[in-house]
Amino acid sequence: MNRISWDQYFMAQSHLLALRSTCTRLTVGATIVRDKRIIAGGYNGSIAGGTHCNEEGCYVIDNHCIRTVHAEMNALLQCAKFGVPTQGAEIYVTHYPCLQCCKSIIQGGIKAVYYALDYKNHPYAIELFAQAGVKVEQVELDEMVIDLNTQEKLAFVGSLLEELKDKGADDDKLRSLHEQANKLFTSYL
């Protein structure tokens, strides 16, 4: 089995962090990394001890939930709280950072932003990242990286194909299904 890339490893961590989000509109996770080591993580949610969106709904003003602290901010604040410098670090985020998070990332000295999904990419955030010399790169998560059941899925699909063969399925159809299964699974093994 091949090891996953560093980008996939850190992006998977961000997606895992997003599972802790209490926002009902969008779940976001962020991982701050220096020298291939995770130094902080965050997800979007309410202040510690506060009311969460998944409990009472989002508190929306001007189409923004003002109850939540964004994932990037939570990760940066975790570094500040524990005295961990962010100068020269990188951040992996499940979604493109909003304008306010963009400014905080720049002020925190983060040198690179890796994000999985476009999300209202603000033109001024794009401009500010470029102006500050922050590398911004899309790194979509390969979901199979964190799929712990890949082998079982392969075996199941294989057994289905065998059953179809035993029941007299057309060879061309079986070959086509086998090729589709290979496309879905073989690049992950």
Side-chain angles (χ1 to χ4, degrees):
M1 182 167 120
N2 294 330
R3 293 183 353 163
I4 64 173
S5 71
W6 285 112
D7 284 342
Q8 288 295 298
Y9 174 75
F10 296 127
M11 194 57 73
Q13 176 67 32
S14 294
H15 281 273
L16 185 62
L17 282 160
L19 295 175
R20 290 281 307 152
S21 172
T22 59
C23 182
T24 57
R25 298 175 81 207
L26 182 69
T27 60
V28 180
T31 304
I32 299 178
V33 174
R34 186 185 316 101
D35 300 324
K36 305 279 188 265
R37 300 290 180 259
I38 296 170
I39 60 173
Y43 52 88
N44 58 329
S46 300
I47 61 167
T51 302
H52 295 280
C53 296
N54 63 355
E55 297 168 344
E56 291 188 13
C58 292
Y59 184 0
V60 179
I61 295 179
D62 295 329
N63 203 30
H64 294 286
C65 179
I66 62 168
R67 185 186 314 272
T68 61
V69 179
H70 289 190
E72 302 92 325
M73 287 301 300
N74 269 326
L76 287 164
L77 291 168
Q78 186 180 56
C79 287
K81 185 176 184 177
F82 295 105
V84 178
T86 55
Q87 184 69 37
E90 303 167 321
I91 190 166
Y92 288 78
V93 190
T94 57
H95 296 76
Y96 194 91
C98 74
L99 181 57
Q100 295 307 316
C101 287
C102 159
K103 292 188 276 186
S104 296
I105 287 166
I106 292 167
Q107 288 301 96
I110 301 287
K111 69 177 181 179
V113 174
Y114 300 97
Y115 70 98
L117 301 168
D118 288 314
Y119 184 73
K120 301 179 182 179
N121 304 21
H122 197 287
Y124 191 51
I126 295 167
E127 182 182 329
L128 287 176
F129 279 140
Q131 182 182 335
V134 174
K135 176 183 175 181
V136 178
E137 183 179 321
Q138 187 170 20
V139 176
E140 295 180 28
L141 176 67
D142 177 349
E143 287 86 4
M144 295 297 286
V145 163
I146 55 176
D147 186 347
L148 302 178
N149 299 310
T150 301
Q151 294 300 327
E152 291 83 0
K153 289 176 183 178
L154 275 169
F156 178 70
V157 169
S159 70
L160 289 176
L161 290 173
E162 279 299 314
E163 189 174 326
L164 286 171
K165 181 180 177 182
D166 292 345
K167 292 191 186 250
D170 178 73
D171 285 341
D172 288 334
K173 180 64 174 173
L174 283 171
R175 191 173 9 269
S176 173
L177 291 171
H178 186 75
E179 288 171 7
Q180 285 178 304
N182 279 339
K183 286 180 187 174
L184 287 173
F185 292 109
T186 56
S187 63
Y188 306 110
L189 301 176

